[in-house]
Amino acid sequence: MDLLTDSLYQAFLLLISLDAELFEIVGVSLTVSSSSTAIAALVGLPCGFLIAFREFPGKRLTITVLNTLLALPTVVIGLIVYSFISRRGIFGPLELLYTQKAIIIGQVILIIPVITTLTIAAISRIDKRYRKSALTLGAGELQVALVIFREARYGIIAAVVAAFGRVIAEVGISMMLGGNAKGFTRTMTTAMALEYDKGEFVLAVALGIVLMSLAFLINMLFHFFQGRTEVNAL
Amino acid sequence: MLYSIQNLKRSHGQTTILDIDSLEIQAGKVYALIGPNGAGKTTLLNILAFLDLPSSGELSFQGEAVQYHPRVLQRLRQKVVQLDQYPILFSGSVRKNVEYGLKVRKVERKKRQLMVEKVLALVGMSRFINADARTLSGGETKRVALARALAVEPDVLLCDEPTANVDAENQQIILDILKDCNSEKKVSLLFATHSLSDAARLADHTIVLQNGRLAQARKTNVFTIEHQEYRGSGSIWRIGGSLEYSQEVVDPGVPYASHVHLDPEKITCFPIDELPNVDVPFWQGTIRKIERHGKGIRLSVDCGVALQIMMSLEDYTSTNLHVEQQVGVSFRLTPDMFFNV
């Protein structure tokens, strides 16, 4: 118990003193996670929209595959991406391994299914009459799509927030593809794992506090937007 | 001709929802579409609004065969607006909702504002212009949806049960607006309804759908009919709930019919002091309205039920009829007038 309380006390001191190393790690985490979330959103939102909006053969199978990919372990993604970007891989000459770009690639693969499936759910919940109303008022396909997007906006934002929460807390991809290089690819989760291995709990606990605070904030945002979606659906 | 339908079918899997051999709808007229639930009224409206595709058959609009290409359909939809039975308003203000169709048509901002204010005034919703559309009641939502539809000045307005689930006050407002749109702006109007009185009050023509098929298209004067009793060699019926009618048995099957259609051109109307010298039943009523209708004159006579009577201009001139005059009306029931809804 002394270990925990002492570590917590020291961690708070570290946070209050605005420790440079701690904030560097937090900075790397936020940069990598924000980038991967933005890229995944650019891919996942239109995909989710098209899958929800259009009828095509194999639609149910596509949704089932995407739902299955939600359970994809980060270490599996790490392994697959590693096989492509390691020196012997086909993208080896690009020298991506152990860079922030490598982590971003892995994280994008991790959260595209998250954003896509949650977007499908958000769009599918939207009343069919919105589409019909826009069409009968003379809207084209793109204008109809914008109406649906607008009505589903809170659900879509919630999908992006959930995806960000997933990547900020993942450790497998960051460790395997980033290599935990100090100042470059050391994220909050990989730094915590390292500090734990070293038996140094203070920085690990301080990072844990930051991560938990971020997770809390993300969940608050998620529930806020989810709540708006439900109110909207009434 | 506004719409022309030939051998049109709409199926879902093995089930045929709509099967119309031939139907023509004229421009500038009011059509009531009646039929029981599941008769195919909404499907027909969706097809006429170019929101649904027929499985087979031909549909012409304003003399052109409809081609089901997205760009063509969008162009056609800009002339036809459908008002849902349960309309939904987009999130945002009433103003944003009403101007949506105008924005789609790239109408400039100032013009949009003027049009929004005009149509909201028309439906009596001006004070709600900046209100959140989601906070409106059912009747108010329907009126704003109607304003949204009228803002784009459509050639055709298709309404699915425009007065369903709204209070009597809102019902009257909606019916008055629809009537004005047709008479003043020459908007062709087709509305699905369960209310025979709405159909009788508003429509020039009535289309009856049963199990997806067109029952004989009937004009106005569709009333409920109840067989009361057999008396001597004849029968007693009650028409429209109040008009008692006695006649020789017309057909053994007809006592079980639920509705009767009285052809406006086969009803005789005469001044009360000029009783016809023939043995036909007649009723006393009051002329409520006289209007020009096509080449003839249409009289609205209140004789317990609101009867529409058509007469030629020559007959009208010779009888010298006028509004609020007491008149006699007479007609004979024939088997072809009876039908079930």
Side-chain angles (χ1 to χ4, degrees), chain B residues 61-124:
Chain B
F61 178 67
Q62 294 180 336
E64 272 182 53
V66 175
Q67 293 174 339
Y68 292 94
H69 182 276
R71 278 187 189 279
V72 177
L73 289 176
Q74 190 189 353
R75 180 172 57 79
L76 294 177
R77 283 188 203 120
Q78 297 206 339
K79 297 179 179 182
V80 182
V81 178
Q82 187 185 353
L83 183 64
D84 254 341
Q85 183 178 358
Y86 302 101
I88 196 162
L89 298 178
F90 305 131
S91 55
S93 67
V94 167
R95 178 199 299 274
K96 286 222 174 280
N97 269 276
V98 178
E99 72 177 356
Y100 180 79
L102 299 170
K103 267 188 172 176
V104 163
R105 286 161 178 77
K106 298 188 170 57
V107 174
E108 65 178 64
R109 193 191 163 108
K110 275 193 174 175
K111 247 183 164 179
R112 281 203 315 255
Q113 279 182 347
L114 285 173
M115 184 54 95
V116 169
E117 284 163 14
K118 190 176 141 191
V119 290
L120 282 176
L122 185 72
V123 299

Side-chain angles (χ1 to χ4, degrees), chain B residues 49-341:
Chain B
F50 313 109
L51 295 169
D52 195 7
L53 276 60
S55 307
S56 64
E58 284 175 24
L59 171 65
S60 295
F61 178 67
Q62 294 180 336
E64 272 182 53
V66 175
Q67 293 174 339
Y68 292 94
H69 182 276
R71 278 187 189 279
V72 177
L73 289 176
Q74 190 189 353
R75 180 172 57 79
L76 294 177
R77 283 188 203 120
Q78 297 206 339
K79 297 179 179 182
V80 182
V81 178
Q82 187 185 353
L83 183 64
D84 254 341
Q85 183 178 358
Y86 302 101
I88 196 162
L89 298 178
F90 305 131
S91 55
S93 67
V94 167
R95 178 199 299 274
K96 286 222 174 280
N97 269 276
V98 178
E99 72 177 356
Y100 180 79
L102 299 170
K103 267 188 172 176
V104 163
R105 286 161 178 77
K106 298 188 170 57
V107 174
E108 65 178 64
R109 193 191 163 108
K110 275 193 174 175
K111 247 183 164 179
R112 281 203 315 255
Q113 279 182 347
L114 285 173
M115 184 54 95
V116 169
E117 284 163 14
K118 190 176 141 191
V119 290
L120 282 176
L122 185 72
V123 299
M125 291 292 289
S126 294
R127 64 198 171 95
F128 292 93
I129 190 163
N130 292 316
D132 184 345
R134 305 294 181 88
T135 60
L136 302 179
S137 71
E140 289 163 350
T141 299
K142 232 165 188 173
R143 281 156 67 183
V144 171
L146 182 57
R148 187 172 66 176
L150 295 176
V152 299
E153 297 184 314
D155 291 353
V156 186
L157 183 60
L158 305 167
C159 303
D160 196 354
E161 310 234 7
T163 56
N165 307 306
V166 290
D167 58 47
E169 186 193 352
N170 275 304
Q171 277 183 17
Q172 194 52 51
I173 291 168
I174 290 168
L175 288 176
D176 288 345
I177 295 164
L178 293 177
K179 202 173 175 183
D180 290 348
C181 282
N182 173 256
S183 58
E184 288 171 20
K185 295 181 179 163
K186 306 295 171 209
V187 177
S188 304
L189 183 64
L190 180 69
F191 68 103
T193 184
H194 282 292
S195 164
L196 293 171
S197 66
D198 285 357
R201 255 192 294 176
L202 216 61
D204 300 308
H205 303 277
T206 305
I207 298 166
V208 184
L209 274 178
Q210 281 175 293
N211 300 320
R213 297 189 72 92
L214 207 58
Q216 190 188 348
R218 294 164 198 277
K219 297 185 178 180
T220 48
N221 292 345
V222 173
F223 301 104
T224 55
I225 186 160
E226 294 167 76
H227 183 255
Q228 301 288 299
E229 57 178 298
Y230 292 103
R231 192 177 291 170
S233 61
S235 270
I236 307 289
W237 283 274
R238 190 174 291 281
I239 298 172
S242 59
L243 206 67
E244 199 166 88
Y245 185 94
S246 166
Q247 194 178 303
E248 293 290 311
V249 175
V250 190
D251 181 274
V254 295
Y256 307 106
S258 66
H259 288 80
V260 66
H261 166 239
L262 306 175
D263 188 339
E265 291 181 358
K266 290 183 179 164
I267 304 173
T268 316
C269 179
F270 44 85
I272 200 70
D273 51 352
E274 293 176 20
L275 292 179
N277 199 14
V278 287
D279 183 24
V280 289
F282 75 92
W283 295 266
Q284 196 172 319
T286 309
I287 298 178
R288 297 293 183 208
K289 196 175 173 187
I290 300 175
E291 59 190 334
R292 194 71 196 258
H293 190 81
K295 290 179 180 171
I297 298 293
R298 181 160 67 182
L299 308 177
S300 300
V301 177
D302 180 4
C303 56
V305 296
L307 277 181
Q308 303 284 315
I309 302 167
M310 283 298 298
M311 58 174 21
S312 67
L313 194 57
E314 294 77 37
D315 287 349
Y316 170 69
T317 316
S318 65
T319 48
N320 200 22
L321 296 170
H322 56 85
V323 174
E324 295 304 320
Q325 183 179 353
Q326 294 286 307
V327 288
V329 292
S330 77
F331 54 85
R332 285 194 75 86
L333 290 182
T334 51
D336 62 303
M337 295 177 175
F338 292 85
F339 66 103
N340 278 301
V341 172

Side-chain angles (χ1 to χ4, degrees), chain A residues 127 129-141 143-144 147 150-151 153 231-234, chain B residues 46 51 74 77-78 80-82 84 86-92 100-101 104-105 134 148-149 152:
Chain A
D127 198 307
R129 288 173 298 168
Y130 284 117
R131 181 171 189 270
K132 198 175 167 188
S133 300
L135 279 174
T136 200
L137 290 167
E141 282 288 307
Q143 289 158 326
V144 173
V147 166
R150 187 176 142 74
E151 297 303 330
R153 61 194 180 280
V231 168
N232 235 20
L234 289 175
Chain B
N46 284 341
L51 295 169
Q74 190 189 353
R77 283 188 203 120
Q78 297 206 339
V80 182
V81 178
Q82 187 185 353
D84 254 341
Y86 302 101
I88 196 162
L89 298 178
F90 305 131
S91 55
Y100 180 79
V104 163
R105 286 161 178 77
R134 305 294 181 88
R148 187 172 66 176
V152 299

Side-chain angles (χ1 to χ4, degrees), chain A residues 9 12 31 46-47 54 70 85 89 94 97 113 136 148 163 167 170 172 179 194 208 213-214:
Chain A
Y9 176 68
F12 273 115
T31 307
C47 282
R54 298 244 181 224
L70 289 177
I85 64 172
L94 297 176
L97 191 61
T136 200
I148 307 285
V167 286
E170 74 80 27
L194 178 72
S213 305
L214 277 171

